[in-house]
Amino acid sequence: MKVFIKIIQRIFAILLLSFFLYFITSVIVGHIVRDDIEFNGRISVGKYILHRHWAKGQTNYLSFNINNVRYKGINSGKEPPQRFSKNIGKFYKIRYSEKFKGSMEAFFDEQVTDSTEILKAGFTMKDILSNENDTINIREGSFKEEVLTILGIN
């Protein structure tokens, strides 16, 4: 019975340590990604495609293009005002990271209405005229990719 208790204690300690390491890694990766967006980010245009509201917050998704690949990113900047979800389908200035694909910051106070600028950002006329959610076949950056990029493993 004592052996069983020791095994359970070790498993619990390993799980607790794993959770702690995951939490610390997440915080560090998030900080590195935000710094990269702020200091090395590229300015472009993103389409506001999805809003999810939950008990104590919200998640806002924008699609944008990097080298003719469309990404879906979660806004990591300031949150938009209340009831902003009615603006789905509109275009806004964004700053994105080329190193961490799919990571971006949206400027919801800077709407882009110039179709030439939107087309130069890689969108089509269909994207401009459509207010639909275009999340189908959009690539998302993953936590695993971000960690591997930080470690220099590609």
Side-chain angles (χ1 to χ4, degrees):
M1 187 70 168
K2 288 183 180 182
V3 174
F4 181 72
I5 292 174
K6 285 190 181 240
I7 291 172
I8 296 296
Q9 288 174 340
R10 287 189 180 170
I11 290 173
F12 180 73
I14 290 170
L15 288 175
L16 192 61
L17 181 64
S18 298
F19 175 76
F20 179 73
L21 289 174
Y22 177 78
F23 177 75
I24 295 298
T25 304
S26 297
V27 170
I28 291 170
V29 168
H31 182 70
I32 290 170
V33 170
R34 276 191 302 279
D35 281 353
D36 186 61
I37 291 171
E38 184 177 343
F39 298 115
N40 303 320
R42 306 261 183 193
I43 300 293
S44 187
V45 176
K47 184 177 182 181
Y48 186 33
I49 58 170
L50 184 61
H51 171 85
R52 290 200 176 130
H53 182 76
W54 34 279
K56 294 186 178 184
Q58 59 182 329
T59 305
N60 296 287
Y61 296 87
L62 287 92
S63 65
F64 57 99
N65 298 296
I66 303 175
N67 301 325
N68 295 324
V69 176
R70 186 156 303 178
Y71 288 89
K72 176 174 75 172
I74 297 173
N75 177 43
S76 64
K78 286 185 357 183
E79 293 296 325
Q82 289 285 341
R83 295 187 175 81
F84 196 79
S85 60
K86 68 181 181 332
N87 293 337
I88 288 178
K90 294 185 179 178
F91 294 87
Y92 295 91
K93 288 264 189 215
I94 65 165
R95 184 182 308 140
Y96 68 89
S97 170
E98 284 187 308
K99 189 174 183 180
F100 304 103
K101 307 291 189 208
S103 299
M104 48 76 67
E105 173 186 9
F107 303 104
F108 289 110
D109 56 342
E110 297 183 40
Q111 184 177 354
V112 178
T113 56
D114 181 16
S115 58
T116 306
E117 189 176 355
I118 295 169
L119 292 171
K120 283 183 183 177
F123 291 98
T124 64
M125 282 304 289
K126 182 181 177 187
D127 295 325
I128 294 172
L129 299 174
S130 171
N131 283 340
E132 296 174 5
N133 181 346
D134 62 351
T135 59
I136 299 171
N137 297 325
I138 296 178
R139 193 170 185 286
E140 289 187 58
S142 71
F143 179 75
K144 176 184 170 186
E145 287 177 340
E146 290 175 358
V147 171
L148 293 176
T149 302
I150 289 170
L151 296 175
I153 303 169
N154 290 329

